[in-house]
């Protein structure tokens, strides 16, 4: 399934909905599940409201934590919406894209970790500074932890931080963790993956370089914005995450093109490393790092105010954001 | 006030309580507030339970988010417990330390940021590697973001991570953010501070050095454990956070001694930096970084299995942890 979170335009209160993409429509899963429970005679109106609120919550971390219970409920709801006749004149189960605003599919992961898994990217980025790839890169899947308070979704504006002169995008994809675990081997790691999404790790290159020179890694150079979306695609729909075409366009012009198969390490190997003596938890986000030539830094280019950055990955959709001056 | 979170021994279900330290006792604030509401005739039994559950929640982030409402309720509850006669034979409002186990006073901050604010520490740590302090350190309050899934409290065992040969403590104190904000000036920053606690930023030095060489900062070198506690002291009880005596003892022997006044930057300046173009939120934890000579690395010493590490800071208490082999 392809899960989204969305707001309905002109609908109040402005509470997020959990949705699934069905052809060119977005299905409101909670309403569909409530009607399914009623029509199947499983419980009464009060209970169907309570249970659908809980199972098809738009809090994506809680939805993932609910595990198979919520996934099964989502499948029931989607089937119900597909086959539903117009028996419910006062209910609306599906929306056109024009009627809604997509939100980031997950906004409250406990941890957002971002890796550096593409050899070509680190080679190119280091070469720009006259440096080689550090031999330790081949030994350790290095990462920094991102900021979970600044996650943006598809079509959200990204505000240019006051402190930078050099804003950049990074073409990445992310794996979403499906359940809690510790000391997970790479062989078992697939069980811990919920799905995948596109990630744009926006970067303020001037301050990032300064911060990395002090040794604690990037902070203000990254923490103002990470875009995720447009949806989370469950892993069953991505049989091979290591052969995805990855493209970045700026104002419609192609700047970057790569393939996820050039990752030096798999997410399964990354999960083994991260979970060594330390828990990973449902909803955690693991970013792949930038694909080779997947950012302006490697191309000698920079973003400008009002640029529209569009990342497209096969099977995962298109994630588009505009850069705005605050 | 000095807020703690605790479990009552031999009491089920094992739900955390929110407490306040009163002389040598711990007050159960929720029960005290419930009885206060009843005795004052403000609401009935059902409502007093609901409202005290909400206002004196042991979820510290939610407690802080509740702002003055919860702080006032806590003050009422503490006053009530102080003056309460034994009118309630079936209620227990105060506990001896022997009856409880303290928990970390906050376990679910959205962000845990740790700085490098003591010049002597970075000088000593760099010198060990034959390096000078990078000039950019004087320009930028560098930090890394810690792991919020591995926060431990007073008397919690710390498990030695399988992947390290060199475990260390770091003697720090932390500021807890009291409300959400963005673009806060240092002059206004005090309004955003809730209180202070002791922090032990446990470190696996061998992997930390390797990770920092790759440029993304420490990850596995830090993420297995951070200890916070024993309590959060509200800022009104710490009139000058920049004159606190800081001591670390290992197995009762003093290893480190310093003073918070040697910080190169104040938390107020740090808040200005972090909140530039980026929100800080209630419950966020900002670590000071290690005071000069406040870790084994600077002393040429390492921790061993079964060592007991005790950090003491004037006004904030003692935070004690034992290192255990898993």
């Amino acid at each position: 399934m392809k899960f989204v979170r969305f707001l309905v335009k002109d609908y109040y209160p402005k509470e997020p909905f959990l949705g699934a993409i069905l052809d060119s429509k977005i299905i409101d899963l909670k309403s569909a599940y409530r009607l399914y429970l009623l029509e199947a005679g499983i419980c009464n109106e009060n209970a169907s409201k309570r249970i659908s609120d809980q199972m098809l919550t738009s809090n994506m971390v809680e939805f993932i934590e609910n595990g198979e219970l919520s996934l099964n409920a989502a499948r029931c709801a989607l089937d119900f919406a597909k086959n539903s006749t117009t028996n419910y004149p006062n209910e609306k189960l599906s929306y056109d894209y024009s009627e809604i605003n997509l939100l980031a599919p997950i906004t409250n992961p406990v941890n957002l970790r971002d890796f550096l898994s593409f050899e070509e990217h680190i080679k190119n980025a280091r070469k720009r500074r006259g440096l080689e790839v550090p031999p330790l890169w081949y030994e350790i899947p290095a990462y920094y932890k991102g900021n979970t308070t600044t996650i943006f979704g598809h079509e959200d504006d990204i505000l240019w931080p006051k402190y930078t002169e050099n804003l950049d995008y990074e073409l990445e994809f992310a794996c979403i963790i499906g359940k809690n675990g510790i000391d997970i081997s790479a062989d078992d790691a697939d069980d811990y993956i919920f799905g995948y999404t596109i990630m744009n790790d926006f970067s303020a290159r001037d301050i990032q370089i300064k911060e990395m020179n002090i040794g604690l890694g990037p902070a203000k150079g990254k923490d103002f914005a990470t875009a995720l979306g447009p949806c989370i695609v469950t892993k069953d729909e991505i049989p091979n995450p290591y052969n995805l075409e990855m493209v970045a366009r700026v104002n419609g012009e192609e700047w970057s093109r790569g393939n996820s198969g050039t990752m030096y390490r798999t997410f399964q190997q990354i999960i083994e490393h991260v979970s060594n003596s330390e828990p990973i938890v449902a909803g955690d986000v693991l970013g792949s790092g930038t694909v080779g030539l997947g950012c302006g830094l490697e191309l000698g280019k920079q973003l400008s105010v009002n640029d529209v950055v569009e990342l497209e990955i096969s099977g995962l959709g298109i994630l588009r954001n505009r850069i705005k001056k605050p």
Side-chain angles (χ1 to χ4, degrees), chain A residues 227-265:
Chain A
L228 295 174
C231 56
I232 296 175
V233 183
T234 50
K235 65 177 170 195
D236 54 293
E237 293 201 12
I238 307 290
N240 180 10
Y242 307 113
N243 186 22
L244 306 177
E245 201 63 13
M246 303 170 73
V247 179
R249 287 179 286 268
V250 177
N251 304 323
E253 182 195 326
E254 184 175 306
W255 281 25
S256 305
R257 179 174 289 267
N259 188 288
S260 65
T262 57
M263 273 174 89
Y264 184 78
R265 299 178 176 93

Side-chain angles (χ1 to χ4, degrees), chain A residues 65-85:
Chain A
E65 285 177 340
N66 290 347
E68 278 299 319
L69 295 173
S70 276
L71 266 178
N72 287 336
R75 287 184 202 111
C76 279
L78 189 59
D79 278 347
F80 180 84
K82 271 182 197 167
N83 303 317
S84 157
T85 48

Side-chain angles (χ1 to χ4, degrees), chain A residues 18 29-31 33-34 37 46-67 69-71 73-74:
Chain A
L18 178 72
L29 290 171
K30 186 156 82 178
S31 296
Y33 192 59
R34 179 170 47 77
L37 290 173
N46 294 336
S48 69
K49 168 110 181 44
R50 283 199 304 272
I51 295 170
S52 60
D53 277 355
Q54 164 102 60
M55 287 298 163
L56 283 311
T57 170
S58 67
N59 180 325
M60 184 56 72
V61 171
E62 292 183 2
F63 177 80
I64 296 172
E65 285 177 340
N66 290 347
L69 295 173
S70 276
L71 266 178

